[in-house]
Amino acid sequence: MPPSIEAQQLTKRYGQFTALSGLDLNIHGTKCVGFLGPNGAGKTTTMKILTGLIRASKGTALINGVDVASDKKTALASCATLIETPEIYPSLTPKEALSMLCEIRGVPRQDRNKRIDDALARVKMSEWADKKVGGFSKGMKQRVNVASTLLSDPEVIILDEPSSGLDPRGMSEVRDIVMSLRDRLVFMSSHLLAEVTEVCQEVALIDHGKLLVYDTIENVTAKFSGGGGAVEVGFAGNVDEQLRARVSKLPGVTSTTKSNDRHLLLKYDTAVLTQDKLLESVAGLKAGAITFSQASGLEDAYLSLIKETL
Amino acid sequence: MSGEGSKAAVGSIAHVGIAAKYNFLNYFRARRFYVMLTIILIIAGLLTALVGYYRPPGFVDGGALGFYGAGWGSFASIVVVLSAAFFGGDAISGEFQNRTGYFLVPNPIRRSAIYVGKWLAALAASTIILGIFALAMLANGLFYFPGSIPWEFAESFAFAWLYLVAAMSLAFAFSSLFKNSSISVLMSVILLLFVFSVIDTVSSLVAGVEPWFSLTYGAGIVSNILSVPYPAAKTVTPLGPGGRFTVVSYNATVPEGLLILSVYIVVMAVLGLVLFERKEFTS
Ligand SMILES: Nc1ncnc2c1ncn2[C@@H]1O[C@H](COP(=O)(O)OP(=O)(O)O)[C@@H](O)[C@H]1O
Ligand SMILES: [Mg+2]
């Protein structure tokens, strides 16, 4: 049976607030699926339900056909997870922490040392293997967390923003690792469009707790990017609501979306405006715009689907 | 990918052992174990020095049994409460507050196996502490009363250990109830050191009801067993001019005490486990 992740009418409420609303998602087979959406969209919530960290208010989450809420032990039997940024018992070494997971996941005794050494080598943490985790930086801990997903030869790997807290080199190393896992089912959340475009074949887009689309990147791009131009503008400082509003008011600009702290994605009407005119008017705002680049197809599609969010 | 065959499904009993092993390793290396060790060594050292210097009659004039009653009997409960709160009070809440649960929980392991494993690790760490304190008291006892270790001291140790098990169950339940680990540790200490004693006193003195529902009342058998004769189950003392008032005090008998301790162990273990099963990892 091919590996699978299924969400059926998954709903999560926190008091009055609905973080996740009737999410239906069926992922089957070995591939890498990007789970994309702005901050607060419900990505982590979905993944926490899939891994038994929280319970859905309604609906079912299945991994390899097994209900996580009723039998997490079986559901996660062939699954490796990295949700948010876990901490490791501070007085354990990476080797000990990883060998705890090997034992829990049933990696045979004779394979454990090699698996752990290989995993630590993959994340460039070999020389720290026997030092206590307590003194590690955030990025070093996250490297060990990434290593923890490589131990047990899992069929399904769930990664929630695995590159968060890592330096640029670490981020690119994680991308390489994820790409090498394409012979499994990888479900990876991210708010970085470039990361998803580079490593994933398929993308699920979520906003305000609702699934907007799930398809291959080509199809999503073809279906939703049409019409108008799209550019990404980088600013020297953080993008706030006021800045976004000023950019939105520029003539010809049809939508603006924050793609991360310092970047705005804009769509514009090509009938009104050419790209060079847009560059001039953004620069004319004197708001600290420092980079200006044409958006990719996926970015364009993201803009069409996710509107007016900060 | 090798998939099948490269891994064997691990049973939940084995998972309990794994969780216990690594949590114990973590306890044993952490500072708090040595802080706790220092605290009980200070208590034992002070007792040794004060008894050696002043030779208080309560200690040395009552025979070996009286000696163990005054030393071990008075302080064992404090050691039990401190180590239960120290090792158990944040065992579960810490997994949430320190986010270590995000490393351990999303794995093919039942939450109950994690809970029981952590409980065993905490019990092992605090048993070591209680054992060291008992050895220190024993060394003192043998110095003043060489050659005679009263059988009741062994019984008292067994009761104290049972009290430790119950206090640990209670501390774990509190650590499952709260998300903040300082609060859960503090609540365990306050409850075990003060609240239960107040309940005992209010219940017997004011209401004249035997406090059979109180954990510390049941734990009274730890010191009761060391007094000769065993204290009466109920004493009525006349008080005031012409004995117009009476003061009632109760003492748990051994079977009563054992029953109270066992009920607390079971009820608190179930309660804590249910709370942990339902608790959500939200930040
Ligand atoms: N414990 C909580 N109580 C209330 N709201 C929460 C809680 N956890 C998450 N949320 C809200 O749920 C929404 C989805 O959060 P999350 O799934 O973490 O988003 P993301 O897509 O960034 O991972 C957010 O608006 C967040 O504020
Ligand atoms: Mg998130």
Side-chain angles (χ1 to χ4, degrees):
Chain A
M1 227 179 43
S4 67
I5 296 174
E6 292 161 85
Q8 298 165 352
Q9 282 297 303
L10 222 51
T11 300
K12 180 67 188 177
R13 287 187 210 94
Y14 291 109
Q16 294 290 317
F17 181 76
T18 305
L20 202 59
S21 145
L23 183 92
D24 277 306
L25 188 61
N26 286 301
I27 306 173
H28 291 268
T30 53
K31 57 195 165 193
C32 181
V33 180
F35 195 27
L36 207 52
N39 291 322
K43 304 181 295 292
T44 299
T45 303
T46 307
M47 291 183 151
K48 280 183 178 174
I49 296 172
L50 283 168
T51 53
L53 285 168
I54 61 176
R55 276 170 189 272
S57 312
K58 246 170 57 189
T60 319
L62 307 162
I63 291 183
N64 290 333
V66 181
D67 186 347
V68 180
S70 62
D71 189 0
K72 180 189 74 164
K73 185 169 182 273
T74 312
L76 300 187
S78 192
C79 182
T81 62
L82 170 47
I83 308 296
E84 292 203 308
T85 44
E87 290 286 333
I88 299 166
Y89 292 143
S91 60
L92 298 188
T93 67
K95 221 171 207 165
E96 288 160 351
L98 295 181
S99 96
M100 173 174 80
L101 296 190
C102 280
E103 287 188 50
I104 288 173
R105 297 186 195 152
V107 175
R109 183 182 298 272
Q110 65 273 17
D111 297 351
R112 278 179 214 154
N113 279 335
K114 189 177 158 15
R115 292 277 182 90
I116 292 168
D117 290 345
D118 288 352
L120 285 172
R122 288 281 290 283
V123 298
K124 311 248 162 38
M125 287 293 288
S126 300
E127 56 175 311
W128 299 93
D130 295 310
K131 306 265 190 320
K132 285 185 187 168
V133 174
F136 287 10
S137 73
K138 256 190 151 69
M140 290 161 78
K141 288 179 193 165
Q142 188 68 352
R143 282 170 186 263
V144 180
N145 289 330
V146 171
S148 81
T149 63
L150 305 172
L151 297 170
S152 54
D153 214 0
E155 294 175 285
V156 177
I157 301 162
I158 296 177
L159 303 170
D160 184 22
E161 302 198 13
S163 50
S164 77
L166 295 179
D167 53 31
R169 178 179 289 274
M171 285 180 153
S172 112
E173 283 163 8
V174 166
R175 271 176 226 184
D176 290 342
I177 290 173
V178 175
M179 282 204 264
S180 75
L181 296 172
R182 279 177 171 176
D183 57 347
R184 295 131 209 269
L185 171 50
V186 181
F187 186 43
M188 177 182 76
S189 81
S190 178
H191 63 275
L192 305 172
L193 288 154
E195 186 173 72
V196 170
T197 316
E198 195 181 335
V199 285
C200 301
Q201 296 100 317
E202 297 182 351
V203 63
L205 214 64
I206 183 177
D207 192 22
H208 292 111
K210 289 201 172 77
L211 186 72
L212 302 176
V213 64
Y214 166 50
D215 209 331
T216 61
I217 290 184
E218 291 82 56
N219 285 346
V220 171
T221 307
K223 260 190 257 177
F224 297 100
S225 68
V231 293
E232 186 173 41
V233 185
F235 291 87
N238 282 350
V239 176
D240 57 14
E241 178 58 38
Q242 199 192 352
L243 174 57
R244 192 179 71 82
R246 281 174 70 200
V247 175
S248 318
K249 288 201 192 92
L250 292 173
V253 171
T254 51
S255 79
T256 53
T257 307
K258 223 174 115 169
S259 56
N260 60 46
D261 283 349
R262 298 190 169 189
H263 286 84
L264 266 184
L265 277 164
L266 5 158
K267 287 202 73 160
Y268 62 97
D269 189 342
T270 43
V272 179
L273 210 59
T274 54
Q275 201 169 343
D276 60 322
K277 291 284 179 227
L278 179 63
L279 171 55
E280 278 171 22
S281 54
V282 170
L285 288 175
K286 302 209 185 309
I290 48 173
T291 62
F292 193 84
S293 56
Q294 182 143 17
S296 74
L298 185 61
E299 285 171 322
D300 194 354
Y302 183 92
L303 277 183
S304 312
L305 285 161
I306 295 173
K307 296 198 175 75
E308 303 285 304
T309 46
L310 189 80
Chain B
M1 149 164 106
S2 35
E4 314 294 315
S6 72
K7 276 169 290 170
V10 181
S12 285
I13 304 284
H15 273 157
V16 168
I18 297 163
K21 178 169 101 184
Y22 288 94
N23 272 282
F24 185 74
L25 194 61
N26 187 43
Y27 276 132
F28 205 65
R29 288 212 190 126
R31 195 184 305 137
R32 81 170 63 185
F33 183 83
Y34 298 94
V35 170
M36 193 62 220
L37 193 61
T38 310
I39 290 175
I40 61 136
L41 288 179
I42 289 173
I43 296 178
L46 274 177
L47 271 175
T48 308
L50 292 176
V51 172
Y53 189 74
Y54 292 108
R55 310 257 163 167
F59 277 80
V60 290
D61 295 347
L65 206 55
F67 183 87
Y68 287 105
W72 164 265
S74 322
F75 290 92
S77 300
I78 292 175
V79 175
V80 163
V81 169
L82 288 182
S83 38
F86 242 61
F87 295 115
D90 68 345
I92 301 300
S93 49
E95 294 280 346
F96 290 79
Q97 194 182 337
N98 307 330
R99 305 175 57 81
T100 48
Y102 286 82
F103 189 76
L104 185 54
V105 173
N107 276 292
I109 180 170
R110 284 185 216 287
R111 284 197 186 197
S112 52
I114 295 174
Y115 192 89
V116 178
K118 289 188 73 88
W119 190 88
L120 287 175
L123 188 66
S126 43
T127 299
I128 293 176
I129 297 290
L130 186 66
I132 291 174
F133 184 68
L135 284 179
M137 292 298 104
L138 190 64
N140 267 287
L142 286 176
F143 176 77
Y144 294 103
F145 302 95
S148 74
I149 303 170
W151 168 243
E152 286 84 355
F153 176 64
E155 276 184 291
S156 178
F157 180 80
F159 295 163
W161 187 76
L162 207 64
Y163 179 34
L164 177 63
V165 176
M168 193 60 80
S169 276
L170 186 133
F172 261 67
F174 269 78
S175 81
S176 305
L177 185 62
F178 297 103
K179 254 187 186 156
N180 182 302
S181 31
S182 323
I183 290 181
S184 57
V185 171
L186 210 65
M187 288 300 291
S188 311
V189 174
I190 290 175
L191 195 74
L192 288 166
L193 277 190
F194 305 111
V195 176
F196 273 124
S197 326
V198 172
I199 290 176
D200 291 352
T201 313
V202 169
S203 172
S204 31
L205 279 187
V206 181
V209 174
E210 182 184 2
W212 50 267
F213 40 80
S214 156
L215 177 57
T216 50
Y217 178 68
I221 60 173
V222 174
S223 52
N224 289 349
I225 192 78
L226 294 169
S227 36
V228 199
Y230 195 94
K234 179 177 180 178
T235 351
V236 182
T237 322
L239 201 75
R244 263 193 294 156
F245 305 101
T246 53
V247 171
V248 189
S249 77
Y250 294 93
N251 281 296
T253 63
V254 170
E256 268 174 355
L258 292 178
L259 185 67
I260 293 171
L261 293 178
S262 314
V263 169
Y264 266 92
I265 292 171
V266 173
V267 170
M268 288 297 153
V270 171
L271 182 71
L273 194 53
V274 169
L275 286 171
F276 179 50
E277 290 278 2
R278 300 167 141 265
K279 199 162 166 166
E280 302 207 311
F281 283 86
T282 53
S283 27

